[in-house]
Amino acid sequence: MPEDKAAPCSRHAENRSVAIVIPVRELSLMKRNIDKFLARFRRVTSGGRYIPEVDGLRFIAISIVVLQHISQSLPQSGQGTFGVRVINESIFGVELFFVISGFILALPFKSHALGLSRPVDIKAYYLRRLARLEPPYLLSLLLVAVGLAIAGRPLSDVALHLIPSFFYVSLPIHGQFHPLAINSVTWSLEVEVQFYIIAPLIMSIFMIDNSYKRHVISLILLIFIFIFSHIVSRIAYPVSVVSLLEYFQYFMVGLLVADAYSEKRSNSLRADVLAIVAWLALPCLFQARLPGQSLLLALNLYVAVLYSLRSTYLRKALAHPVIATIGGMCYSIYLLHMPIIHWLVPGTHLPGSGLPRLLLEGVFYGAIIVAISAVFFVLVEKPCMKPHWWRSKRHREEGVLAT
């Protein structure tokens, strides 16, 4: 009799274990399918080394930029609310992009300085920038220009702004936020291009072996350019706004982050705390309106970015597949989000006002922007990420082996 009672209990336990195993297998299969799907939208790196947490930082930067531009679409009555005002006045997305650019460009130069890789081929460096950025940029400009012409803008006005934008000289000709600009956000790309041109010269600082001297010289250069830009701004204010001078300190901070990041250090919870405090301090710095505010902001971003990369839990959050994948598509999102917002907002009426409406619009428009940008990324941007993509397959393989 005891054996007869034990048998049903044993079968019941077996059935329960099977019921648990099946969902685990289904979840594992689902995760693999999600990872396989996200892999289609993952960026291709020229050096083959992928740092997902850097794409997580890009996610933060592009989210801030898009949210700011969405907030500008709110009715005037909602702009004065405290939450919206804080968001509008505490924007550091573009500055964060500049820090990330300085960091990424500096890594191969730092690697060579440490004896871990060959010298950077300067010709290949410039060709990589041109082949990687130019096709998506030009195509996006043409698409927006055609849309503006169809919408009724005179062709003469379209051409007047399109041609300078092709050659990254719209800033000195038309200024930073011209109302007839083809894509009003591409001013920051022109600033990036200015840095790309001089970056190999700046990166020669890594040839200084003594780390203390290298850091001191970097900080002196950063502060000197910062002071010089303010002197220029007093003499001819528009010049400083539309040039690299206004934002040079952020690229230099990226270089300093790359220098410190290359030092082998274990991740720690202390780094999580420092990074979170630095991120929370950024809106406060914007609101404080202190003398030398942009320099303080740049140094604060140094702490936020460096310790985010050295952290334990925050780094894992930044490297989450969904966050890193969206961050990896930031260039496509950057190029397309303003035209999409201008196209969607007039015909869309979402409920609410102030901060609640801004958050609702952020989710609603953000999903549409990411979906459209993902298609552009797969069809246009990602193919341009492949080294020597314009060559035949055989020549591409030879170029990669030579590199």
Side-chain angles (χ1 to χ4, degrees), residues 332-347:
S332 293
I333 297 173
Y334 161 81
L335 291 174
L336 299 181
H337 77 275
M338 276 302 276
I340 294 173
I341 291 173
H342 288 158
W343 170 57
L344 285 176
V345 169

Side-chain angles (χ1 to χ4, degrees), residues 112 215 259 268 317:
H112 167 61
H215 292 159
D259 198 2
S268 66

